[in-house]
Structure formats: C-alpha cells, structure tokens
C-alpha cells in the first residue's frame, strides 16, 4: 500500500464511466473496443480522472489533473484511497477494450469491493506495431482486437495503454482474456522504456484484400 499522510487530493474527475461506453457494460458488441479518454486516466468506480505524465531525469512523474488545473501526485490519491501505489502494481498492455473506462469497471466489479475498481491506465507508444481485428471471435463470441507486427507496420507507431493492476485485478483480467497468450513487451512513455505484460492473440488476424484490417478506434501514425 502507499503510505498514508496529509495529501492534496482535491482533484475533480473529467467524467463518469458512462461517458465512455463499452461493449461489456452497455451490452452492445458493436461498441467494441469502446470509447477511451484522450489522455492517460484513472478509473475509480464511477469516476474517471485525467492523468498527466512527465519525464524527469529518466524517471516518470504521474499526476492527476482536474479540469481546473488542480494537481495531485497519483500515489497521493491512491494512498488516501488505501490501495496499492503505482510502483507495486503490475503493468499490462491495453490496446482493445481494456483502454475503455467502462470496460474496466465491468471487469473489476467482479471483485466486489470498491478498492478493486481503482485502475490507473497510462498511455504509451509502441513502434513497429498496429492494432488490427482478430480473425476469430473472443471467448464470448464478441469482436476482439489483436496486436500486430509485420511488413505493413515497419514505420507505424501506435498509442496503447498500460493498465497498472494489483495481483487480484490481474487474476480477474486473466479470466477475461482466454483468447490470448501472455508474454512481455517493451513500450515507451515520454521517452522512458517500460517492460509490461501483454496478451497476444492466439487466432489468425482478419485479412482483407491481402492486408490486415486496422481497428479504427486506434491512434496510430505511419
């Protein structure tokens, strides 16, 4: 747990999870992969907070930022909530529904406690990859995305997320990702490299006109 103390946590959310519809929470598979904020974020039950990330001397500084500019270190917020701080959490790549606040709430509601619904998600860049549609359905018969690297993505950089999970949250995540194998990958956040776990699809990808089909909701360049 983060050390508790007298912290400035007078930060305000940028919205609720309902502002970011998901296939799972709203029972509509056509919403996949769901709506995600334009910035790194933290989900706390029904609320979504913006997170600002800055590199300082090779290390990363994470702050929750209110719409009015009020800031608080993310670990200060987590300390007041009595949950694990960022460095003690497990980083795992998010590139489909796991970048959607409503989807995260839907998954971790299963834990049955408020602390289980607190999930920081930090945006990162991954070179030489893109997010494409899988050639097979997910375990629940829904549409799913795949992380892809190949000749078409040599000049591509895609923005993905990193969910920072507790061990309990990771166990719940495993149960929802049966269509994937677990491996590791290195991504970049503000110029700093981070090694994270990643779910890699076990099915072939969708091919149309001889090319992989990118997921439109993905933010990719090149």
């Amino acid at each position: 747990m983060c050390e508790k103390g007298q912290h400035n946590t007078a930060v305000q959310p940028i919205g609720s999870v309902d502002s970011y519809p998901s296939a799972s929470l709203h029972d509509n598979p056509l919403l996949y992969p769901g709506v995600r904020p334009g910035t790194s974020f933290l989900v706390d039950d029904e609320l979504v907070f913006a997170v600002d990330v800055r590199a300082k001397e090779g290390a990363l500084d994470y702050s929750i930022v209110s719409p009015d500019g009020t800031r608080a270190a993310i670990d200060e917020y987590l300390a007041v909530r009595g949950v694990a701080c960022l460095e003690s959490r497990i980083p795992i790549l998010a590139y489909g529904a796991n970048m959607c606040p409503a989807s995260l709430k839907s998954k971790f509601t299963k834990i049955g406690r408020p602390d289980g619904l607190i999930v920081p998600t930090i945006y990162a860049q991954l070179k030489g990859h893109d997010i494409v549609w899988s050639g097979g359905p997910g375990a629940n018969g829904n549409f799913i995305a795949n992380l892809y690297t190949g000749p078409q993505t040599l000049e591509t950089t895609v923005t993905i997320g990193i969910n920072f999970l507790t061990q309990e949250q990771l166990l719940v995540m495993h149960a929802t990702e049966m269509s994937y194998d677990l491996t590791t990958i290195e991504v970049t956040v503000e110029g700093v490299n981070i090694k994270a776990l990643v779910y890699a699809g076990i099915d072939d990808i969708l091919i149309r006109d001889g090319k992989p089909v990118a997921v439109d909701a993905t933010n990719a360049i090149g």
Side-chain angles (χ1 to χ4, degrees), residues 3-213:
E3 293 184 5
K4 292 188 176 181
Q6 298 299 316
H7 303 299
N8 172 26
T9 56
V11 287
Q12 299 298 315
I14 56 173
S16 69
V17 293
D18 284 334
S19 304
Y20 305 94
S22 75
S24 55
L25 191 63
H26 297 87
D27 195 26
N28 182 355
L30 296 179
L31 290 175
Y32 184 92
V35 179
R36 66 277 304 265
T39 181
S40 299
F41 62 92
L42 180 142
V43 173
D44 186 347
D45 195 4
E46 295 289 342
L47 301 178
V48 181
F49 296 85
V51 175
D52 178 59
V53 186
R54 300 180 182 180
K56 294 183 178 180
E57 299 179 352
L60 294 172
D61 180 74
Y62 305 89
S63 298
I64 296 177
V65 184
S66 296
D68 66 0
T70 303
R71 303 173 67 91
I74 195 168
D75 278 349
E76 294 180 354
Y77 182 92
L78 296 174
V80 171
R81 297 291 282 118
V83 298
C85 56
L86 210 64
E87 68 178 13
S88 64
R89 291 171 176 256
I90 303 162
I92 187 160
L93 215 66
Y95 55 83
N98 294 331
M99 288 182 71
C100 176
S103 180
L104 294 172
K105 176 178 172 59
S106 177
K107 291 190 180 195
F108 297 121
T109 294
K110 302 175 180 69
I111 292 176
R113 301 189 315 275
D115 62 285
L117 295 173
I118 300 175
V119 184
T121 299
I122 304 303
Y123 287 0
Q125 284 68 50
L126 180 59
K127 293 183 178 180
H129 291 73
D130 204 350
I131 310 304
V132 303
W133 289 106
S134 173
N140 296 323
N142 55 310
F143 306 106
I144 60 173
N146 247 328
L147 187 64
Y148 173 76
T149 181
Q152 302 90 342
T153 62
L154 292 177
E155 304 299 325
T156 302
T157 297
V158 64
T159 297
I160 47 78
I162 306 173
N163 300 141
F164 283 84
L165 305 181
T166 64
Q167 291 185 355
E168 187 176 23
Q169 288 172 334
L170 185 58
L171 289 174
V172 172
M173 181 71 81
H174 285 343
T176 69
E177 304 295 344
M178 302 301 290
S179 300
Y180 299 87
D181 284 335
L182 194 61
T183 183
T184 59
I185 199 167
E186 193 169 85
V187 299
T188 303
V189 179
E190 296 298 320
V192 178
N193 292 334
I194 294 180
K195 181 176 285 188
L197 297 172
V198 58
Y199 289 106
I202 58 178
D203 291 317
D204 292 334
I205 62 172
L206 178 64
I207 298 294
R208 182 178 297 159
D209 297 328
K211 300 178 182 179
V213 182

